[in-house]
Amino acid sequence: MYDFLNAYKSYDPAAKSILEIALLYPGPKAIFFHRIAHALYCLNFFFLARLVSELSRFLTGIEIHPGAKIGLRLVIDHGMGVVVGETAEVGNDCIIFHGVTLGGVKFDPVKRHPTIQDKVLIGAGAKILGPIVIETGAKIGANAVVTKTVLAGTVVRDSAQ
C-alpha cells in the first residue's frame, strides 16, 4: 500500500504527505474501492461488486467497472470523469488524467475495451475506444480520440489516431 501512495508522492509536487494523499486524493480512494469490487467480481458476487463500484463513483467521481484489471501504482490525477470499462486492462506505473475514457465500441460480451500497457500517460479528456493496445511508454495527448493500436514510445498529440 505504501508503494502505491508513494507513487503519488513522487509524481505530484503538490502532495505534502502520504496521509494527505491517502485521505484526500480521489485516485487512491477509487483504486482502493476498485480492488474490493474487483475481488467480489472475481468471486461472481456481481451485484455487490457493482454496489462497491457505485459507492466509489459517488465518492470520487471516478468510474471503474469491477471487471477492469488495474495494475500497480496507477496514478489517477484529479480524476473527475474518468471511466474505465469492464474489459479494460491498465498496466503498471501509468498516469491517467481527468476526463479520460477507456471505452468500448461493441455491446457483445467480448473483449471490447483497450489494454493499456506499462508506463503509459493519458492526457486529460482523451478517449481510447475499442479492443486496442496502447503499448509501453506511449503518451496520449489531451482530448485525443484513439481507435487504433499505439506503438511503444509513440506520442499521440491530437485526435488523428
Side-chain angles (χ1 to χ4, degrees):
M1 181 70 155
Y2 181 78
D3 189 36
F4 164 66
L5 294 174
N6 202 39
Y8 273 84
K9 182 89 168 90
S10 64
Y11 162 75
D12 188 355
K16 305 301 182 216
S17 71
I18 296 295
L19 183 63
E20 175 188 16
I21 295 165
L23 297 177
L24 303 177
Y25 279 44
K29 283 187 256 185
I31 293 168
F32 172 78
F33 281 114
H34 173 71
R35 300 284 187 221
I36 296 167
H38 186 69
L40 291 167
Y41 187 86
C42 289
L43 293 170
N44 295 325
F45 292 118
F46 301 121
F47 181 83
L48 287 175
R50 287 304 297 257
L51 183 64
V52 171
S53 177
E54 289 299 307
L55 175 64
S56 177
R57 184 175 71 149
F58 176 76
L59 294 173
T60 67
I62 298 168
E63 181 176 343
I64 305 174
H65 190 283
K69 296 177 183 170
I70 305 295
L72 302 174
R73 296 174 301 278
L74 170 63
V75 172
I76 301 175
D77 194 5
H78 299 287
M80 185 60 74
V82 167
V83 177
V84 179
E86 177 183 22
T87 63
E89 300 175 46
V90 179
N92 300 325
D93 302 305
C94 294
I95 299 171
I96 296 177
F97 287 88
H98 56 281
V100 165
T101 299
L102 304 180
V105 292
K106 297 179 180 179
F107 297 106
D108 302 322
V110 296
K111 171 76 170 144
R112 60 192 183 280
H113 299 93
T115 296
I116 310 300
Q117 293 182 346
D118 299 340
K119 298 181 181 178
V120 170
L121 182 143
I122 306 173
K127 309 302 176 209
I128 303 175
L129 305 173
I132 62 173
V133 177
I134 308 301
E135 294 183 356
T136 299
K139 294 181 177 160
I140 309 300
N143 296 315
V145 177
V146 182
T147 58
K148 296 178 185 169
T149 291
V150 175
L151 300 178
T154 301
V155 175
V156 177
R157 291 188 168 86
D158 57 29
S159 299
Q161 289 286 323

